[in-house]
Amino acid sequence: EMQLVESGGGLVQAGGSLRLSCAVSGMTFFGYAITWFRQVPGKEREGVASISGKGGTTFYARSFQGRSTISIDNPKKTVYLQMNNLKPEDTAVYYCAADQMGWSSGWDREDEYGYWGQGTQVTVSS
């Protein structure tokens, strides 16, 4: 069974950077999309960035374009999210999710994904 484990969260000052990792086991990346979401208490999960299993296709939320990079290391079966110029409003629990490509509603809809990690907390201080 597919498992996703996030790491790399922590406390960072505004303007700083973090690199989140999502280690995937139990699946091959081929034909799948791996997507980062984030969630703050009381709000729905928000899509941050997505990458195809082969790494050729990426999507970013508008608020992350230009200051984040999603990448994939196939031999390590790990997806990374490099986030730069972090802001206090980026404080959230960040999750990675995976499922087969071919969305009916969009890459950033949480109901498109059946496999989720446990999340990692990112806190950005002002």
Side-chain angles (χ1 to χ4, degrees), residues 12 20 28-29 37 41 46 48 58 69-70 93 110 112 114 116:
V12 63
L20 306 183
T28 174
F29 278 156
F37 286 81
E46 173 189 16
V48 175
T58 57
T69 303
I70 189 169
V93 178
E110 64 174 298
E112 296 279 1
W116 292 84

Side-chain angles (χ1 to χ4, degrees), residues 35 37 44-47 97 103-114 116:
T35 299
F37 286 81
E44 294 184 352
R45 288 181 184 177
E46 173 189 16
W103 306 289
S104 58
S105 300
W107 68 269
D108 56 348
R109 292 291 303 271
E110 64 174 298
D111 57 4
E112 296 279 1
Y113 299 88
W116 292 84

Side-chain angles (χ1 to χ4, degrees), residues 55-96:
T57 303
T58 57
F59 299 96
Y60 294 90
R62 183 173 298 181
S63 62
F64 275 87
Q65 286 177 348
R67 64 186 185 102
S68 66
T69 303
I70 189 169
S71 61
I72 193 166
D73 185 330
N74 270 290
K76 293 184 177 180
K77 301 186 86 172
T78 300
V79 174
Y80 302 99
L81 180 66
Q82 175 71 42
M83 302 186 293
N84 303 317
N85 190 24
L86 285 163
K87 308 171 185 179
E89 52 264 40
D90 294 322
T91 295
V93 178
Y94 284 71
Y95 299 88
C96 64

